[in-house]
Amino acid sequence: MTPTYTRALIVGAGPGLSAALARLLAADGLKVGLAARDVGKLDALAAETGAAVHACDATRPDEVEALFARMEPALGGSPDVVVYNASGRLRGPVVDLDPAAVAQAVMVSAYGGFLVAQAAARRMLPHRHGAILLTGASASLKGFAGSAPFAMGKFALRGLGQSLARELQPQGIHVAHIVVDGAIRNPARAPEPADAPDSHLDPDAIARAYRDLLRQDRSAWTSELELRPWLERF
């Protein structure tokens, strides 16, 4: 059976992947909700897609609950697609890292994902229907020098996705962790080299991969997907 989804919530929304996904889902007829700590950056996207917008710090349980309570009337019901795109990025030599900043980075990448997935699952389980998509990165699979906090958070998010898939998929909820293994195209900030076209991931192409997950028959659900540009070194 191929599920039909009608309402989507993207947490950690911003330009790039989140914007591409919001546009694609809205074009497919889904009502879209967007959440971020800074909602000012979402004004143009909300106007373009008709999305509902709500400020949320995903590391705070009270704010996550308030987000879902706000989105239910705004979307005409609980979201049946929830995407967690928030990440805590912190770089530096391990001996110089501020422990409090490390804790916050891991909270954003992993604990926030737990809170959002928990709130989503509580609303999806009575209907035995829904999809929870967790956005990972290269750091979900390999830790890089000078980037320990990001790897810690993304490794944890991947573990969360594996546990949720085993627990929730038999109850009708599709859970997938997506490894975005490479830089996402952003011409304004990091143009691709002229001699290496398509060396960065196209956000619209990533969004289509997410949509493909939502269109899968439950007899063959994907629980983890790796996406990388064709020039990415393995």
Side-chain angles (χ1 to χ4, degrees):
M1 178 185 297
T2 302
T4 301
Y5 301 104
T6 57
R7 298 174 296 273
L9 172 60
I10 303 171
V11 180
L17 171 56
S18 293
L21 187 57
R23 294 186 189 101
L24 185 62
L25 295 179
D28 283 349
L30 279 74
K31 293 183 178 180
V32 177
L34 304 171
R37 283 181 292 181
D38 175 14
V39 295
K41 64 184 179 182
L42 301 176
D43 289 345
L45 181 61
E48 179 184 352
T49 61
V53 176
H54 190 70
C56 178
D57 180 344
T59 68
R60 296 180 58 88
D62 56 336
E63 293 197 21
V64 172
E65 280 302 313
L67 168 65
F68 277 81
R70 165 70 177 81
M71 284 298 167
E72 286 168 6
L75 300 180
S78 298
D80 50 12
V81 174
V82 173
V83 182
Y84 190 73
N85 275 351
S87 294
R89 293 182 178 271
L90 180 66
R91 295 188 60 85
V94 66
V95 295
D96 295 334
L97 291 173
D98 174 30
V102 172
Q104 179 61 23
V106 175
M107 290 275 284
V108 173
S109 291
Y111 180 62
F114 161 75
L115 292 177
V116 170
Q118 182 185 58
R122 284 173 172 167
R123 290 159 175 82
M124 295 174 180
L125 280 170
H127 307 286
R128 300 184 67 85
H129 170 74
I132 300 172
L133 307 181
L134 306 174
T135 299
S138 302
S140 303
L141 305 176
K142 50 197 173 190
F144 293 90
S147 189
F150 191 49
M152 291 162 64
K154 286 301 185 181
F155 264 70
L157 186 72
R158 187 186 186 209
L160 172 67
Q162 291 179 354
S163 294
L164 293 181
R166 288 173 169 82
E167 178 179 345
L168 299 179
Q169 287 192 173
Q171 301 182 75
I173 300 171
H174 187 180
V175 179
H177 173 256
I178 300 93
V179 179
V180 181
D181 188 7
I184 297 177
R185 182 177 296 161
N186 186 333
R189 296 176 59 184
E192 288 178 303
D195 60 349
D198 293 328
S199 57
H200 292 182
L201 291 119
D202 181 347
D204 293 321
I206 301 173
R208 290 192 293 271
Y210 278 57
R211 181 179 63 180
D212 288 344
L213 288 171
L214 299 177
R215 292 178 171 179
Q216 288 182 336
D217 188 278
R218 68 183 184 186
S219 69
W221 272 347
T222 294
S223 59
E224 182 161 85
L225 179 68
E226 293 184 47
L227 302 172
R228 58 176 61 88
W230 70 293
L231 289 179
E232 176 75 0
R233 294 181 178 178
F234 286 77

